[in-house]
Amino acid sequence: MKYKSLLLYTALCFTTVSCTVRISQTEGVSTDITKSGKLWASLWQQRAAEYDALCFQAYNVAKLRLDNSINASHPKPLAIVTDIDETVLDNSPNAVQQALLGKDFEQEAWYKWTSKAACDTVPGSYSFFKYAASKGVTVFYITNRDEREREATLKNLQKYGFPNADNEHLLLKQATSGKESRRKSVLTTHEIILLIGDNLSDFASLFDKKPEQERQAVTQNQSENFGKLFIVLPNATYGDWENAIFKYNYQLSPAQKEELIKNSLQKE
């Protein structure tokens, strides 16, 4: 069901022919790697069979782990905690629209997009969560969408028939973007057998807003949990991997972001 954008493909062809990575140009900035990069990442997400394959692979592994878990005894009812964006629902059309307008992420544009309840599903997500529900496993959606987005988010999930798409099981961002307190609230009544997401902070507070090198170190230390407790979906468009490069400074100009990107890349 993944949305395919011919407009995106046409725009990228034009970009290639013109021999520039610039999507928009502002005075004093010759290129904008960030916005053109989001177009390329969205092109991959929308049109690459390899993206689909990675998503199917993640959810196939999740199904194997689920089957192993339900065959064991547990003191509490079983639950899966999942992120929503780029894990269950695909927001790439918003990234495309922003890039074609010469803009990066904007909160109001995001609200406008999510209010449409128009996200397609991430490949493999619906089948997996439907299967989990058939086995008596409860799904909790822990997302950093906020209260303003509650109604439209539920509408989008319900449109496809995702299980437990109700107020009780939708845990939105409140005072903080950190998800640890919400995970702990689930643990008061359920045993979490899987955590599913596209961002490391979807899994544990160990990953929250850490510098690049520390993120790498924690990932190495937690390597045995990936594919067991943690199921990772691909997202090359945005996330804390990007924020870490920018040192979590959300006020950087395009030129400053470009400089950090260039300095981060390995060259010949």
Side-chain angles (χ1 to χ4, degrees), residues 33 78 84 125:
I33 292 174
L78 302 184
I84 291 180
S125 60

Side-chain angles (χ1 to χ4, degrees), residues 249-266:
N249 183 349
Y250 305 107
Q251 307 304 317
L252 292 177
S253 68
Q256 289 171 321
K257 288 182 177 181
E258 179 174 330
E259 186 66 21
L260 284 170
I261 291 170
K262 288 180 177 178
N263 290 337
S264 298
L265 292 168
Q266 291 185 348

